[in-house]
Amino acid sequence: MSLTVIAECLAAPGQEDRLRTALEAMIEPSLEEPGCLAYRPYLDPNHVGRMVIVEEWTSAQSLADHFTTAHFRHVEQVLELVLAEPMTLRTLVAAPLG
């Protein structure tokens, strides 16, 4: 069963461009990972500095492996410097129909 991940980030004042750059740099290496079906950052048009990343992974293991990659560890360090508050992470699965 695939997982959808929604990560929400709020940049500290003056760090909006740095946040956007860090998250955009995650797209290509994340999409190259085994098990990554989608990885897309979005800007909130109503709140400067708020970004949401929507990801889809084939399994919990592929997501867990993502958290151990060099590019994820790097972006974690950058986020510690540029976020106004800790990132919020939601992991969702499709609701059964019927």
Side-chain angles (χ1 to χ4, degrees):
M1 174 181 301
S2 69
L3 301 174
T4 298
V5 175
I6 301 172
E8 296 183 50
C9 299
L10 177 62
Q15 298 296 320
E16 297 86 1
D17 288 340
R18 195 164 176 201
L19 174 62
R20 186 170 46 253
T21 299
L23 296 179
E24 287 173 353
M26 289 289 293
I27 298 169
E28 188 175 327
S30 296
L31 288 172
E32 291 175 356
E33 290 179 53
C36 184
L37 302 172
Y39 188 98
R40 175 132 191 202
Y42 294 86
L43 294 171
D44 182 340
N46 299 310
H47 194 292
V48 175
R50 184 170 303 280
M51 291 189 71
V52 175
I53 304 94
V54 179
E55 311 169 33
E56 188 174 0
W57 297 88
T58 57
S59 67
Q61 185 59 55
S62 61
L63 177 59
D65 292 345
H66 170 66
F67 294 140
T68 67
T69 63
H71 56 273
F72 185 83
R73 287 193 310 270
H74 172 75
V75 81
E76 267 188 317
Q77 293 174 342
V78 173
L79 294 180
E80 286 180 21
L81 301 173
V82 303
L83 292 183
E85 58 191 41
M87 177 174 60
T88 302
L89 191 68
R90 291 186 185 94
T91 303
L92 308 168
V93 295
L97 301 176

